[in-house]
Amino acid sequence: MRNPTTTTLGYALFATRWLQAPLYFGLVAAQGVYVYKFFKELWTLILMCVSGHATETYVMLAVLKLVDVVMIANLLIMVIVGGYETFVSRIGLQGHRDQPEWLSHVNSNVLKVKLATAIVGISSVHLLQMFVDVHHTSRHALLWGTVIHMAFIASAAILAYMSGPMVAQSDRGHADRAQAGHARARHAPAGHTRTVGQEESDLEDPHRARPEPEAPAAAPAVPRQPAPDADAEARIRAAGFPARKLLEDFDQQHPRDFDREAVARLGKAEFVAARRNVVLVGPPGTGKTHLAVALGVRACQAGHRVLFATAAEWAARLTEAQAAGRLDAELTALDDHPLLIVDEIGYTPFDAATAGLFFRLVAHRYERASLIVTSDRPLGRWDEVFGTSAPAMTDRLAHHADLVRLDGDSYRTRRATAEWAD
C-alpha cells in the first residue's frame, strides 16, 4: 500500500516541472528577436543590391547569415516544442494536420540527437562563411573553426550511437510492463477470465500450411505495408499484440461476406488521426482479431502508439486502477496511446460495476482518441454483456465509427474438418 505522505511529496515535486514553462516562453521572445534580425539583414541586403554596392562575395555572405538565422530559429522551435512536450506537459496535437512527424515519438534522447545535428548544421554554415570570406579570416580562426566543427560532429555521432541502446532499453521496459499487465489479467478472478473467446486471439497458426486462396474478382487492393522502421518496430513490440498479423496475410476468401473496401481504407490508418473508431462484428473464427491486430500494426507503422488487450484483460486493468483510487489517472495515462484495441467483447458478460468501468473508458476517449473493438454480437445486443450501460456506451462508440461485419464459418473449424477428412 502506498504511503500518502510519500505520494503527496512525489506529486508536489512533479508539479515543479511547471517552473520550466516561463523558460520556454522566454525562448519564444528570443525567437521574436531572430525574426527581427532576419528582416533587418534582408532589408540591408536589398538596399545594397538596389544601390549596386553588393559584390558577389557580399551577397553570398549575407545569404549565409540569413540561413544561419533561420537554422538557429529552427533549433529554438525544436527546443521550445520538443522540450515543453518532453519535460513539462503534453501538447494535444494528435490529428492536427501540421503535427511535426518527429513530435509523435519525441523523448529526451531523440531531442538531444536532433539538437546535436542542428548544431552541426549551424556550425557548418559558420565554417562556410569563414571560407567564403577567407581573405579576411586569419589562419588561426580557420584552424580553430574547423577543429570546433569536427568536435561538434564527433559529439553528435557519439550521442546518436548512445541513444540507440537507451531507446531499446526503454522499449523493452514498456514491453515488459505490458506483458506483466497481461499476466495479471490472466490471473484475475473467475468473473474476468477469458473463456471461449480466448480462441479469437489465436485466429491462425502462422506455422501451419495454408491453401492458396483465389483473389476475388473485384477485391480492392490492400495498401502496401510500409518499409521496416526501428521506431515502428518498437511501438509494435510495446503494443502487446498476441501475435503479429498483417493485412496482406488475411484470407479474404474465408468470410462469406465483409466490406473489403472498408478494410482497405482502414489499412491506411487515417482513422487514428481522425479519432474515429472501428467495430469488427462477426461469429468466432471469422478473422476479427486478425484484422484488429493488423490495423494496430499499421497504426504503429504510421507513427501511433497502440495498446492491445482482451475485454477481460481491460476489465481487470480498470478494476485494479479503481481499487487503487487511480482510475482517472489511468484513463489519462491511456491518452498517450492514440489507439486502444479491445478484443473479444461479448464472450463474457460483466457485472454492473465492470460495465460502468467500460463506459468510463469509452466516454473518456469519445472524440479524443480511437478504439478498435471486436465482438461476436452487434451493438444492438450489447445489453446482454453490459446491461443498462450498453445504450450510452454504444451511442458514443458508434458516433464516429466504421462498422465492419464479417459473416461465415469458423476458420479454425473449417481447417480442423479438412484435416479430419484427410
Side-chain angles (χ1 to χ4, degrees), residues 359-371:
F359 172 77
R360 289 284 302 275
L361 176 65
V362 173
H364 180 83
R365 295 183 71 83
Y366 176 62
E367 295 186 334
R368 181 182 301 180
S370 297
L371 286 166

Side-chain angles (χ1 to χ4, degrees), residues 297-379:
V297 169
R298 286 294 179 89
C300 291
Q301 293 167 337
H304 304 292
R305 296 182 66 191
V306 179
L307 200 57
F308 176 99
T310 65
E313 290 168 342
W314 282 115
R317 179 169 181 161
L318 296 175
T319 301
E320 180 183 344
Q322 185 183 48
R326 52 178 179 82
L327 180 60
D328 289 336
E330 179 72 8
L331 294 174
T332 302
L334 290 173
D335 289 342
D336 288 339
H337 297 79
L339 175 61
L340 300 183
I341 301 177
V342 184
D343 193 28
E344 301 176 352
I345 287 180
Y347 296 106
T348 304
F350 296 108
D351 56 34
T354 306
L357 294 177
F358 271 102
F359 172 77
R360 289 284 302 275
L361 176 65
V362 173
H364 180 83
R365 295 183 71 83
Y366 176 62
E367 295 186 334
R368 181 182 301 180
S370 297
L371 286 166
I372 294 180
V373 300
T374 72
S375 178
D376 68 336
R377 62 198 69 194
L379 297 181

Side-chain angles (χ1 to χ4, degrees), residues 31-64:
Q31 183 90 325
V33 172
Y34 270 98
V35 171
Y36 168 77
K37 180 176 175 61
F38 177 89
F39 284 103
K40 181 180 178 182
E41 294 284 351
L42 180 61
W43 180 248
T44 303
L45 174 61
I46 293 173
L47 291 179
M48 291 292 290
C49 290
V50 171
S51 63
H53 294 93
T55 64
E56 182 178 356
T57 301
Y58 173 81
V59 172
M60 188 178 297
L61 288 172
V63 171
L64 285 175

